[in-house]
Amino acid sequence: MSWAGIVVNAAGVAAIGWIVWYFWLHRRRGVEIGESGGVQEVRVRVKGGYEPDLIVVKKGKPVRLHFTRQESALCSEMVIFDGIGKSAKLPEGETVTIEFTPEATGEIPFQCQMGMLRGRVIVQ
Ligand SMILES: [Cu+2]
């Protein structure tokens, strides 16, 4: 194999590794959120998805999720928390806060109005 061939193959393997990491491993990591004054706060960027899309909180303490939508795609205009009966409109470039206190452990999914973008709050 020529040097050029080896370089192309190595680049291909690196690209595949990056794709695997980015789309599967990287997005599956939960984010343990910081506490200030007993409130669990996390900033969520909305751009082609929720980042982070997996948020780990403790039950019985108030949670504040600050959503900032950094795109104009209609898809992400609403964020809906079915399990706790909350939803919010996300104007582009503004930060909108969803606040609740989880009283039970489990999962609270959230999504856009069409269910295309999804995220989860894990209550421990
Ligand atoms: Cu959508």
Side-chain angles (χ1 to χ4, degrees):
M1 197 186 287
S2 69
W3 274 111
I6 290 167
V7 168
V8 166
N9 281 334
V13 167
I16 289 164
W18 182 84
I19 288 165
V20 167
W21 176 80
Y22 186 81
F23 286 99
W24 287 288
L25 307 177
H26 160 81
R27 293 177 144 243
R28 290 293 144 91
R29 269 206 319 243
V31 171
E32 197 103 30
I33 62 184
E35 264 186 65
S36 60
V39 180
Q40 311 177 82
E41 298 199 74
V42 70
R43 299 194 164 275
V44 182
R45 193 167 78 113
V46 183
K47 194 177 183 185
Y50 302 109
E51 199 187 318
D53 61 1
L54 187 56
I55 299 161
V56 180
V57 300
K58 296 187 186 84
K59 79 165 186 178
K61 287 186 176 170
V63 173
R64 265 184 219 145
L65 304 178
H66 306 285
F67 286 88
T68 308
R69 178 162 160 250
Q70 297 180 346
E71 65 181 355
S72 56
L74 262 180
C75 184
S76 55
E77 197 180 24
M78 294 278 296
V79 62
I80 299 165
F81 289 73
D82 256 339
I84 53 171
K86 285 196 187 266
S87 67
K89 194 165 183 183
L90 306 176
E92 187 182 356
E94 285 178 35
T95 297
V96 177
T97 302
I98 296 256
E99 193 169 344
F100 61 94
T101 302
E103 301 293 359
T105 57
E107 260 188 48
I108 301 171
F110 57 95
Q111 60 172 71
C112 70
Q113 71 267 42
M114 305 148 214
M116 287 145 81
L117 313 181
R118 291 168 184 277
R120 287 178 296 160
V121 177
I122 310 284
V123 185
Q124 293 182 336

